[in-house]
Structures are given as structure tokens and as C-alpha cells.
Amino acid sequence: MLANQPLAERLRPRDLDDFCGQDHLLGKNAVLRRLIDSGNIPSLILWGPPGTGKTTLAYLVASATDRAFVELSAVTAGVKDVRAIIDGARRALGEGGRETVLFVDEVHRFSKTQQDALLPAVENGWVTLVAATTENPSFSVISPLLSRSLVLTLASLTDDDLRDLLRRAVSDPRGLDGTVELSEEAEDHLLRVAGGDARRALTSLEAAAGAALDAGTNVVD
């Protein structure tokens, strides 16, 4: 359990079938599932609350379509960083024909100038932009970028989604690997604490499991 990576990171889904929730996007015949299966992915803006899988979904889109994956945080990246990544993507496309998914986290924090820097790459197909935001993109993303992207709304995870996730985390070798048992009351409490956020659920579970083991018991109650 004392692995270097946090539990939420260790349990990040490795394929679409392992993804938790968002059946309206990834279920059979759902829009994003059809696009991924076809390999024809437009630029995407993923709008939803924290902990609903936006970053993971961007990575899985790249993986499922054999594209390179490059991540930028709008909190720390500037126009120079954006242009450098776009130049690298253009070279990869021109030299080897491999496309790139450029994931921009918290795109609502980008200024208009920074968002404008993305436009040529999106227009010319040098990158497939996947941008994540917790803010309404109608107000936080510039119109030219919106018009060239498909906006997909992610929902908070349901209790059933999170319950499955917690039970998987307890048993999965990448997770807690059966080192603890989760009581029904503890499971219900973790669901209340999570509030539809998968990352919060797993972080709370990891803390509770660590506390239980430190106390000499394998039961999280």
C-alpha cells in the first residue's frame, strides 16, 4: 500500500472498459465511444466537476487511437510553451505521420491570447485538442475555439459508480491488494465524503486504510 504513487494514480484506468461512469459518453453507441471506435476524433472540450475523469479520458482517447499524448496545465503554461508543443506535434506529424493529442487542463485559466495560440493547430489539424474545464465553456473559452471543438459534459459519479470503484481499489493488486476490509458503514461514509468525486473517494480510502493498518487492524470501520 505504501507505493510511491497515490492510490488514485495507481488505479487510473488503462482502457475504456475500465473507465468509471460517464455511460452517456462511453456506453454502447454513445457519442464518444463511436468517435473513438472510428478513430475520427475532433478536438474536444470536456466540461465537468473535479474527479469525474477528464484527464484520464484525454489519455485514453490518445491511447485508443494511437496518438501521442502531451499535457499542459493552464495554471503554469504560457504562450511559449503552447507554441513549442505545437511545433513538436507538427514535426511528428510531418516526419512520421503520428498525430498528437494535446491535453490542456483547466483551459478556462488560459487568457484570450493563450487560447488564440491554440487556434492554428486546431484549424490545421496539427493536434487534436482535448481541453478540460470545470467552468461553463460558453463563458470561459473563446468562440473560435468553441466552434472548432465538440463540447462534452461529464457528470458527477453516482454512488453505484463510486461503490464499484472503492471495492475495486480494495481488491486490485494495483490498489490496496486486499490488505484491508471495508465495512459497509465505512463504505457509505466514504461515498458521502466523496460527493461524486472519484479522486476524493480514493484519497479518503487510502488515508483510512493507512490509519487502520497503523492501528494494527485490517478493518476500515
Side-chain angles (χ1 to χ4, degrees), residues 35-128:
L35 288 171
I36 292 171
D37 288 346
S38 72
N40 184 23
I41 307 293
S43 286
L44 304 172
I45 295 175
L46 305 178
W47 173 30
T52 51
K54 297 185 290 295
T55 303
T56 297
L57 196 51
Y59 174 78
L60 292 177
V61 165
S63 177
T65 57
D66 195 29
R67 288 167 164 85
F69 179 79
V70 181
E71 181 175 356
L72 270 180
S73 171
V75 176
T76 57
V79 172
K80 183 178 180 180
D81 302 303
V82 173
R83 289 175 176 162
I85 287 175
I86 289 171
D87 286 345
R90 287 183 66 183
R91 285 196 300 272
L93 187 61
E95 294 171 4
R98 193 178 189 201
E99 299 176 67
T100 297
V101 166
L102 170 56
F103 175 63
V104 179
D105 195 18
E106 299 191 82
V107 69
H108 57 273
R109 294 180 179 267
F110 261 177
S111 67
K112 181 181 183 300
T113 301
Q114 290 168 308
Q115 292 188 34
D116 280 338
L118 294 167
L119 277 175
V122 173
E123 288 177 334
N124 291 290
W126 299 332
V127 300
T128 300

